[in-house]
Amino acid sequence: PKRAESAMGFDYGRGRIGIALASRVTQYASPLHTLDVRQGIDWDAIGQLIATWQPDLLVVGLPLNEDGSEHEVTAEAKRFARRLEGRFNRPYRLVDERLSSHEAAARLTGMYSAGRRGRRRTGVTLDSVAACLILETWLSLEAANR
């Protein structure tokens, strides 16, 4: 199979889904969008992002407990990944996201030490930064598998 050059990453959550983009060529991931999913997943919005950015691969963070066991949201994230593949005819990969939220919070604080106003202006959220970290893990795994 063709090796993915670009990926769209998803930090799945029950309230929000963070979305980011990455390129294997540049080895860089950047935050893209955060969807509020408390009223349900907006598949049209996800479809528009996929149509616009044309990623080769969809990467979904797999929430696990610190000891590697499945978390209560693990099955939901797996189901979300399968639904992405089915709806958008793109392959997916699950990537361990342990501790990504903690790292995302630290990174977000560092990025915007001026506070929330800077974050609001750019639209960068904890969830989209967590999606970047998921993609950075994917990029690392890709580099290791060369």
Side-chain angles (χ1 to χ4, degrees), residues 26-144:
T26 63
Q27 292 290 297
Y28 183 75
S30 60
L32 181 63
H33 190 68
T34 300
L35 288 175
D36 184 326
V37 295
R38 288 175 288 195
Q39 303 299 317
I41 296 171
D42 186 346
W43 293 106
D44 290 337
I46 293 173
Q48 288 173 352
L49 291 170
I50 290 171
T52 299
W53 295 100
Q54 293 294 312
D56 298 318
L57 180 69
L58 306 176
V59 179
V60 178
L62 187 63
L64 298 169
N65 291 313
E66 285 186 40
D67 66 0
S69 63
E70 292 203 355
H71 183 272
E72 61 185 46
V73 183
T74 305
E76 292 174 34
K78 288 178 179 179
R79 181 171 179 254
F80 173 73
R82 288 190 305 270
R83 290 176 76 188
L84 281 172
E85 179 185 47
R87 284 176 181 264
F88 304 111
N89 196 31
R90 294 262 192 314
Y92 73 89
R93 182 155 179 204
L94 296 169
V95 173
D96 184 348
E97 69 167 43
R98 275 180 281 186
L99 306 178
S100 65
S101 294
H102 299 293
E103 173 64 24
R107 191 175 291 190
L108 194 59
T109 300
M111 288 168 64
Y112 297 102
S113 56
R116 290 181 178 261
R117 284 205 325 249
R119 289 195 296 257
R120 229 179 275 128
R121 232 178 292 126
T122 62
V124 175
T125 66
L126 180 69
D127 305 289
S128 63
V129 173
C132 281
L133 292 168
I134 290 163
L135 286 173
E136 288 174 9
T137 300
W138 169 74
L139 288 167
S140 296
L141 292 169
E142 285 289 299

